[in-house]
Structure formats: C-alpha cells, structure tokens
C-alpha cells in the first residue's frame, strides 16, 4: 500500500492506494479518529459488489453502520436525491462526530461529499472511489457538487475528505467503457503536466489495457500525486488548477451537443484533447508530431479521436454556456509540447477553426 499526503494545513489528508484494501477501511478510519456512527452512501450497482465488504470492515471496528443507496446515474446527482440523503442521515441519527463514506464512482463521491459538506454544517467524510475516473480525479481535491437542471455541478462546495482509500482491485468489475473513459483523464496528466508519465503510459499501454494491478497502482498513484500537487498550490481554482481542464473545453461542448448518454465524459475528454492538441499546434505550442503522438496513445486505449458531426453554431453555444468568457474570449489550456501547458485567450470561433473541425 502506498500513502500520499495532500498537504492543506488543517485540511490535510492521506490517499491510500493498493490492491485489496477494502477490508482495511474500518481500521484506517479508526486510525484517523473518525467517529463510530457511519453512513455509507453508494448505489445499487456498487453496493451489490462491494457494500458487504465495506460494511463488515466498519462493523468489525465497532461502527454502527447505515447504508444509503442512491439510484445509479448522473441524472440522479441532483437536489431531489440529496434531499432524500439528508432525510436518511437524520433518520439514522448521525451527529457532527459521525462520518459519511462515499462508496462508488464520481457521481456518488460528488453527491456524498456535498451532503457531508452541508449536513450539520459539515461532518467528516471518506472517499472510497471505485471507478478509474474517481480514483485518478474526482475523489482527490475536495470539489463536491450536485447538478441543476440548467447545468452540471452548478451547486457545490470545496470540502476535503478526511481520507481517500483506493482499492485498485475494484476496477476488475468496472465496465470496459467506463474504464477506457477513465484512461482519458490519465492521459490528460501526461500531456498537460508530466512528460515522463506520458512516456510511461506509451511504454505500458498493453499492461494498462490488461488492467495489470502493479501498473495500475503506479499510474493511479502518479495521477493522485500530480492532482494533489496542483490542488495544494491552488485549492480553489484561482489559477493553476485550471490546467486540469485540459481537453475539457471542447470535450464538454461535445458532451452537451452529443447528449450525455451518447458520449460519456472521458470519451468526450479524449476528443477534446485531440482538438486541443491541434489548436496548440496551430498556436505554435507543439509540433504536428506531438499531435500524432497524443492522438496515437488515445487510439491505443480504445478511445475515439474523430468527433461526431456537430453544427458549428451549437458547439459555439455550448462552449459559451460552459465557460466564463472575458470580452468574448475564453481561457484555453494548450499543451506546450508534451508534458507542459500554456494558457491562451481565444475567441471560440478561432478555437473551432484552429481545431480543424469540419463544422
Ligand atoms: N469532483 C471532481 O473533482 C470531479 C472531477 C471529475 C468528474 N467529476 C464528476 O464525476 C462524475 C462521473 O464519475 P464516474 O465517471 O465515476 O461515473 P459514475 O459515478 O456514474 O460511475 C460510472 C458507472 O460505473 C458503475 N460503477 C462504479 N464503480 C464500479 C465498479 N467498481 N464495478 C462496476 N461498476 C461500477 C457506476 O454504478 C456507474 O454505473 C460526474 O458527475 C462528474 O461531474 C467530479
Ligand atoms: Zn474530466
């Protein structure tokens, strides 16, 4: 097991990564002094596979455990579901010393984290992420949120967990499509921040596709290190943290235009990264060879690099709806070669032209 500390003064916490860690959750929670009344927030899919192990691990150290299931799917990451969670927390008699355990992917983690941030003005919570995306991205950094009918993640807060426990073995049951989508976020760290990590991914692509446990542990740990470092420098996204949005400006636009069901988030980010690389080449930040390398790795991971047909006007609308614009321009994260980044203020129209999209 590896231990990584996210250093945020009194909000510091450890990220534990390893294989077969779930049964030790109870002991780890006790070690950081978490209370004995616990609510596990999860969904039926994850609960059926891992709920039992997590529950008994907590009961073994004397916790009184309540399991709260929320329906599976992004469409339930909303105020109505959250309201039901508050009801269940009150019903279970949780107090300020009690603790919430988020067991699942990013949807469960975001909603459970926001419930923890707001219930009784904030109670401790622990992230037990079970998707690759949640293990390398959403469980680290303390962004919690629910969606609003007018947009994703519009209601939320920064609220750090007390512990993140990543059991790499849980990925063995993750559907292939979700796994590949998570790999897009993994590539993001390499392209925008860490060249040697990008090279590691190129060298170990086959191992990763085969879900080799050792390789996965290395990769997940490195992603968490990078994200933790960025968050330590800019917890509330006043600057640097925006680098984690690499590939997301056009990715989000495609996600919105294609409909959230047709394209899962990571698939949209993969497309967004290829387009971001082309824009970066157009702005002189990287070479055509870099673009080919980035899109080559994305393809090897079984992700699409050719965007679906979309109308220019609808894409422009989606870009503007997603981002705060300054005088009509948008802060766009370019890759500087591979492994570094640069920020450009770009007009959305120029962005689309530079991306080479036929729209
Ligand atoms: N807070 C942040 O910083 C941050 C960052 C990125 C994304 N997000 C959020 O994360 C969410 C997406 O998260 P996601 O991609 O994990 O999707 P998800 O939570 O919907 O999980 C994907 C699917 O996998 C299933 N699943 C989860 N773990 C499993 C396992 N081990 N075995 C079998 N099935 C499993 C889930 O039930 C679900 O059907 C979005 O709401 C997004 O806004 C948040
Ligand atoms: Zn993302």
């Amino acid at each position: 097991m590896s231990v990584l500390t996210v250093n945020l003064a009194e909000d510091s916490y450890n990220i534990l990564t390893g294989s077969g860690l779930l049964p030790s959750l109870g002991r780890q929670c006790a070690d950081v002094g978490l209370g004995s009344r616990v609510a596990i927030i999860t969904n039926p899919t994850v609960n059926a596979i891992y709920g039992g192990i997590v529950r008994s691990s907590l009961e073994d150290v004397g916790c009184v455990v309540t399991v709260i299931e929320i329906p599976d799917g992004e469409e339930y990451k909303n105020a109505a579901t959250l309201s039901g969670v508050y009801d269940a927390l009150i019903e279970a008699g949780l107090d300020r010393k009690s603790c919430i355990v988020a067991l699942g992917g990013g949807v469960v983690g975001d909603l459970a984290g926001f419930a923890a941030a707001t219930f009784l003005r904030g109670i401790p919570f622990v992230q037990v992420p079970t998707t690759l995306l949640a293990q390398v991205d959403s469980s680290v950094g303390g962004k919690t949120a629910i969606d609003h009918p007018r947009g994703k993640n519009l209601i939320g807060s920064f609220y750090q967990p007390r512990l993140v426990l990543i059991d790499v073995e849980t990925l063995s049951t993750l559907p292939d499509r979700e796994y590949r989508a998570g790999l897009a976020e993994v590539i993001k760290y390499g392209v925008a921040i860490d060249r040697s990590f990008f090279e590691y991914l190129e060298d170990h692509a086959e191992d990763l596709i085969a879900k080799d446990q050792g390789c996965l542990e290395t990769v997940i740990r490195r992603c968490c290190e990078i994200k933790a470092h960025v968050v330590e420098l800019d917890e509330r996204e006043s600057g640097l943290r925006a680098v984690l949005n690499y590939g997301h400006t056009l990715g989000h636009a495609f996600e919105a235009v294609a409909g959230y069901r047709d394209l899962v988030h990571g698939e949209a980010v993969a497309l967004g990264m290829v387009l971001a690389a082309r824009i970066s080449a157009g702005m002189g930040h990287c070479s055509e060879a870099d673009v080919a390398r980035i899109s080559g790795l994305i393809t090897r991971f079984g992700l699409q690099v050719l965007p679906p047909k979309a109308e220019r006007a609808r894409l422009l609308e989606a870009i503007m709806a997603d981002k705060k614009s300054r005088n009509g321009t948008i802060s766009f994260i370019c890759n500087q070669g591979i492994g570094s980044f640069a920020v450009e203020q770009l007009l959305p129209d120029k962005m689309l032209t530079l991306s080479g999209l036929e729209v």
Side-chain angles (χ1 to χ4, degrees):
M1 176 181 85
S2 74
V3 183
L4 168 73
T5 303
V6 185
N7 292 300
L8 294 166
E10 68 272 19
D11 290 333
S12 299
Y13 55 97
N14 284 340
I15 302 171
L16 314 179
T17 310
S19 289
L21 292 189
L22 283 187
S24 67
L25 177 70
R27 191 166 35 78
Q28 299 294 351
C29 287
D31 282 355
V32 290
L34 295 173
S36 60
R37 194 170 286 276
V38 179
I40 299 172
I41 301 182
T42 185
N43 70 28
T45 315
V46 178
N47 195 20
I49 317 174
Y50 302 108
I53 308 171
V54 169
R55 183 180 194 137
S56 21
S57 150
L58 290 160
E59 285 176 345
D60 286 350
V61 295
C63 293
V64 178
V65 180
T66 305
V67 177
I68 303 173
E69 275 193 356
I70 62 171
D72 189 353
E74 177 77 32
E75 64 270 38
Y76 301 103
K77 198 178 106 176
N78 59 25
T81 307
L82 180 67
S83 175
V85 166
Y86 291 140
D87 294 344
L89 293 173
I90 292 167
E91 183 72 23
L94 264 78
D95 60 22
R96 294 198 66 187
K97 292 206 182 96
S98 309
C99 164
I100 287 176
V101 170
L103 172 67
V107 167
V108 163
D110 276 14
L111 186 138
F114 188 61
T118 47
F119 184 68
L120 304 178
R121 299 197 181 85
I123 66 170
F125 92 110
V126 171
Q127 288 273 20
V128 185
T130 60
T131 64
L132 182 57
L133 178 135
Q135 296 183 350
V136 300
D137 194 351
S138 62
S139 69
V140 177
K143 275 193 186 176
T144 72
I146 55 167
D147 299 335
H148 183 274
R150 296 287 291 274
K152 279 184 73 174
N153 298 325
L154 288 187
I155 299 152
S157 76
F158 288 95
Y159 191 67
Q160 301 295 339
R162 296 282 292 273
L163 177 72
V164 181
L165 183 135
I166 300 175
D167 186 342
V168 172
E169 260 177 39
T170 58
L171 299 181
S172 62
T173 56
L174 189 67
D176 238 31
R177 186 176 182 190
E178 296 294 343
Y179 180 70
R180 283 197 301 270
L183 286 172
E185 303 282 0
V186 170
I187 297 173
K188 169 186 86 176
Y189 292 110
V191 176
I193 301 177
D194 184 345
R195 184 182 178 87
S196 63
F197 182 56
F198 184 89
E199 287 164 353
Y200 179 92
L201 295 175
E202 286 182 325
D203 293 344
H204 294 82
E206 306 312 320
D207 298 334
L208 269 178
I209 291 160
K211 295 190 184 168
D212 175 89
Q213 297 281 302
C215 181
L216 264 175
E217 272 183 53
T218 305
V219 163
I220 292 168
R221 198 175 331 132
R222 184 67 194 131
C223 292
C224 288
E225 264 168 20
I226 296 172
K227 180 150 186 191
H229 184 62
V230 170
V231 169
E232 281 166 5
L233 294 171
D234 179 22
E235 185 183 356
R236 289 179 178 245
E237 195 163 333
S238 39
L240 176 70
R241 190 164 176 170
V243 61
L244 301 174
N245 290 332
Y246 178 74
H248 281 59
T249 302
L250 286 165
H252 281 154
F254 273 102
E255 217 177 346
V257 170
Y260 289 97
R261 272 169 216 283
D262 294 348
L263 214 50
V264 304
H265 177 71
E267 292 168 343
V269 171
L271 298 172
M273 289 194 292
V274 176
L275 300 173
R278 286 210 202 113
I279 293 168
S280 304
M283 301 290 296
H285 289 301
C286 75
S287 65
E288 287 302 329
D290 291 332
V291 180
R293 243 176 116 176
I294 293 164
S295 105
L297 185 58
I298 291 172
T299 309
R300 279 175 77 191
F301 284 157
L303 288 155
Q304 282 293 325
V305 291
L306 287 176
K309 284 233 169 312
E311 285 169 37
R312 193 178 186 99
R314 287 198 59 201
L315 278 174
L316 287 174
E317 200 184 318
I319 294 169
M320 292 308 282
D322 183 48
K323 293 278 169 216
K324 284 168 240 118
S325 69
R326 203 166 54 188
N327 309 324
T329 66
I330 282 182
S331 288
F332 188 82
I333 312 292
C334 292
N335 52 291
Q336 181 82 52
I338 290 177
S340 178
F341 70 98
V343 185
E344 289 283 356
Q345 295 299 320
L346 282 180
L347 285 167
D349 202 58
K350 181 165 187 204
M351 201 186 286
L352 287 188
T353 305
L354 285 171
S355 74
L357 269 176
E358 287 174 21
V359 286

